[in-house]
Amino acid sequence: MQYKKTELKRGIKLHTISTNKFKTNLIAVFLTTKLTRENVTKNAVISALLRRGSKTMPSQEEISKKMEELYGASFDCGLDKTGENQVIKFYIEAINDNFVNQEGTEILKTALKSLFDIVFNPYIENNVFKKEYVEQEKNNIKQRIEAKIDNKATYSLERCMEEMYKNEPYGLYKFGYIEDLNQLDEKNLYEYYKELISTCKIDIFVSGDIQDTLQDLIKKDSNIEKLTEREANYNIPNPLNKKLPEEEKDIQESMEVTQGKLVLGLDINMDQAQKRYAALLYNSILGGSANSKMFQNVREKAHLAYVAGSRYLRYKSNIFVTCGIEIKNYEKALELIRQQIDDMKNGNFTEKDIEDAKTGIIASIKAIDDEQDTELTYYFGQELASEEVSLEDYIKKVQSINKQDIIDIANRVAINTVYFLKD
């Protein structure tokens, strides 16, 4: 596997992952822009609109037909909140030309053109988006926003983030807000789309058994040729030197639930980027694995949680501890979680805990190149963070962490917000 990136134009990069490990080529276009209240809902609707059709494929049926012509290729899109950025993602996965026994096939070339058409040459009527499509997608987004309450675990995590980052970009919900949908129409959305395409950071990824001529092929595509250079309008993540909270926020909400959802948002004050490897291990030992303190002590031994774990968000230097508990056990569960955090500060964990954590993390690193989409996600994350770490170096950095490194991180952790969803 060989990874290479090239700047096609200022603010527009091509990333190639050359590998013969797969029978398919995976092509992706990522549009990255700053996360703002003004534009978060617009971006959600735009991401949904673009998949409805392009100038050459004016409907979803036409897109599906084109995918079938490409020997059953698949098209997908998504919307992410990554740090203080919103990322609109588009993918086409198609079989490599080498596996089609038919002369004259140009599957990769056709797939590239199709994806670029969808993203950069959308279907419009009378110089605006199609009104019918706009109204349908606004309604779909509205339903999606309303449905976020259905999954109580996800809802509770989102609410904890919202409270931690109140009045800050990261507190925004990635699909936006119902009250903002009413202001959007086919005209102002198309005007915004043109602004987005001319100012956002654009990353094009191609993974698979690819030829040296790929870069020229992409550069000469009419959709790429018309893109202008730009100072990419996005936020480079800066997780360092986060000010720890002087006091905890305590947020409790009531709803018709049979199980309480307890979420603790933790801040980490890291002064060096290299300390994120220690933070990875800290999180794994605290709640990121089946051998973790949260799982073993809160769930298995004390029987205070149905679900207990944690996750590390490196772009924001946060850890979120999540538990599903009986509502009556709130105080006991919270006290025991605090004890696990204190134990980490005091070094009350073993060398075996560290080795188990390293084994799990390294296994997940080694699995990155087993799937094309996880490879893309890994290299895109590095691109956003303006860093380059090979998978081999990543493993070495994890292996180099010792117990004192983890204790040092533990003493840079503080609880920011305690959120509890109860009946």
Side-chain angles (χ1 to χ4, degrees), residues 24-164:
T24 56
N25 291 326
L26 181 61
I27 310 161
V29 176
F30 297 163
L31 309 179
T32 304
T33 189
K34 290 179 180 178
L35 186 62
T36 68
R37 175 58 196 256
E38 179 186 3
N39 295 330
V40 64
T41 310
K42 294 177 187 175
N43 288 329
V45 180
I46 290 291
S47 70
L49 273 176
L50 294 182
R51 71 180 176 208
R52 294 297 298 267
S54 70
K55 187 174 182 179
T56 58
M57 300 172 287
S59 67
Q60 288 178 309
E61 289 75 19
E62 289 295 324
I63 293 175
S64 295
K65 183 179 177 182
K66 176 60 72 174
M67 295 303 105
E68 285 302 314
E69 291 173 3
L70 292 172
Y71 296 86
S74 59
F75 165 66
D76 199 5
C77 62
L79 183 70
D80 281 346
K81 180 171 72 172
T82 306
E84 295 188 337
N85 297 299
Q86 204 168 10
V87 187
I88 306 174
K89 300 183 174 184
F90 302 88
Y91 303 86
I92 286 182
E93 185 176 24
I95 191 168
N96 191 285
D97 291 87
N98 297 335
F99 294 96
V100 178
N101 296 320
Q102 185 172 333
E103 289 188 17
T105 57
E106 294 185 301
I107 296 172
L108 178 58
K109 183 178 180 179
T110 307
L112 282 165
K113 179 170 176 50
S114 298
L115 190 61
F116 293 159
D117 272 347
I118 290 168
V119 180
F120 304 118
N121 197 15
Y123 180 65
I124 59 172
E125 293 181 348
N126 301 316
N127 294 316
V128 296
F129 283 123
K130 185 173 181 177
K131 183 178 179 65
E132 179 187 356
Y133 289 176
V134 170
E135 293 306 314
Q136 288 173 349
E137 294 306 333
K138 281 170 59 178
N139 187 55
N140 289 340
I141 294 292
K142 179 175 181 288
Q143 291 178 5
R144 188 153 196 167
I145 295 169
E146 290 172 337
K148 71 178 181 179
I149 203 170
D150 294 344
N151 185 320
K152 299 301 189 291
T154 303
Y155 171 79
S156 299
L157 179 60
E158 288 280 352
R159 282 288 296 119
C160 185
M161 290 180 181
E162 186 179 338
E163 290 294 336
M164 278 181 71

Side-chain angles (χ1 to χ4, degrees), residues 150-421:
D150 294 344
N151 185 320
K152 299 301 189 291
T154 303
Y155 171 79
S156 299
L157 179 60
E158 288 280 352
R159 282 288 296 119
C160 185
M161 290 180 181
E162 186 179 338
E163 290 294 336
M164 278 181 71
Y165 289 97
K166 187 172 283 189
N167 302 319
E168 293 183 46
Y170 198 70
L172 298 169
Y173 182 52
K174 71 177 183 180
F175 287 105
Y177 299 88
I178 291 173
E179 58 267 31
D180 295 342
L181 286 169
N182 296 331
Q183 303 168 28
L184 305 181
D185 59 35
E186 62 276 13
K187 184 178 179 180
N188 59 29
L189 277 170
Y190 187 58
E191 289 302 312
Y192 173 72
Y193 164 78
K194 290 189 291 185
E195 176 192 343
L196 174 70
I197 287 299
S198 64
T199 60
C200 72
K201 174 175 173 55
I202 298 177
D203 291 279
I204 300 165
F205 282 83
V206 184
S207 167
D209 188 1
I210 51 184
Q211 306 302 315
D212 294 337
T213 56
L214 176 70
Q215 184 175 322
D216 285 338
L217 179 66
I218 290 174
K219 275 187 173 181
K220 291 175 182 176
D221 183 272
S222 59
N223 286 300
I224 302 302
E225 284 184 332
K226 72 182 181 182
L227 291 173
T228 56
E229 296 195 345
R230 77 282 311 278
E231 287 292 338
N233 182 32
Y234 76 108
N235 290 306
I236 298 174
N238 180 21
L240 300 182
N241 301 314
K242 171 174 283 198
K243 185 179 179 182
L244 295 180
E246 294 180 2
E247 59 181 4
E248 298 175 10
K249 296 178 186 176
D250 183 16
I251 310 294
Q252 298 196 13
E253 289 186 336
S254 296
M255 199 177 290
E256 287 188 16
V257 291
T258 55
Q259 184 186 110
K261 302 296 181 184
L262 176 58
V263 183
L264 278 70
L266 315 180
D267 285 327
I268 311 172
N269 177 22
M270 284 193 290
D271 57 354
Q272 298 174 24
Q274 294 298 312
K275 288 186 177 177
R276 73 180 179 89
Y277 301 100
L280 266 176
L281 285 160
Y282 170 89
N283 174 67
S284 181
I285 296 169
L286 177 67
S289 71
N291 295 317
S292 70
K293 286 179 166 291
M294 288 293 301
F295 188 88
Q296 293 296 331
N297 296 333
V298 181
R299 183 184 186 274
E300 294 295 294
K301 293 179 182 177
H303 304 295
L304 286 174
Y306 303 104
V307 178
S310 67
R311 64 180 71 180
Y312 169 48
L313 272 60
R314 73 181 181 97
Y315 293 119
K316 296 299 294 178
S317 208
N318 290 131
I319 288 175
F320 288 92
V321 175
T322 55
C323 287
I325 63 174
E326 285 191 35
I327 294 163
K328 66 181 182 180
N329 289 334
Y330 169 72
E331 295 291 348
K332 289 181 181 178
L334 181 57
E335 181 181 355
L336 190 54
I337 293 168
R338 291 185 190 277
Q339 183 61 56
Q340 309 314 303
I341 295 170
D342 287 341
D343 281 351
M344 294 297 294
K345 294 179 190 291
N346 295 323
N348 293 333
F349 54 93
T350 67
E351 290 296 334
K352 185 179 185 305
D353 292 331
I354 298 172
E355 288 307 309
D356 287 346
K358 286 182 178 180
T359 299
I361 292 168
I362 290 170
S364 66
I365 296 169
K366 289 180 176 178
I368 286 173
D369 61 3
D370 288 342
E371 298 287 343
Q372 284 174 293
D373 59 342
T374 55
E375 274 189 318
L376 262 64
T377 300
Y378 177 76
Y379 287 111
F380 180 61
Q382 296 212 341
E383 171 64 27
L384 279 187
S386 296
E387 65 180 11
E388 290 188 25
V389 182
S390 69
L391 295 177
E392 293 78 12
D393 285 344
Y394 196 171
I395 290 171
K396 288 177 183 177
K397 289 177 185 293
V398 170
Q399 287 174 328
S400 71
I401 300 301
N402 59 40
K403 184 170 184 175
Q404 190 57 51
D405 295 329
I406 300 169
I407 293 172
D408 288 345
I409 279 293
N411 283 281
R412 291 174 171 270
V413 170
I415 298 172
N416 180 305
T417 301
V418 177
Y419 173 87
F420 186 47
L421 180 64

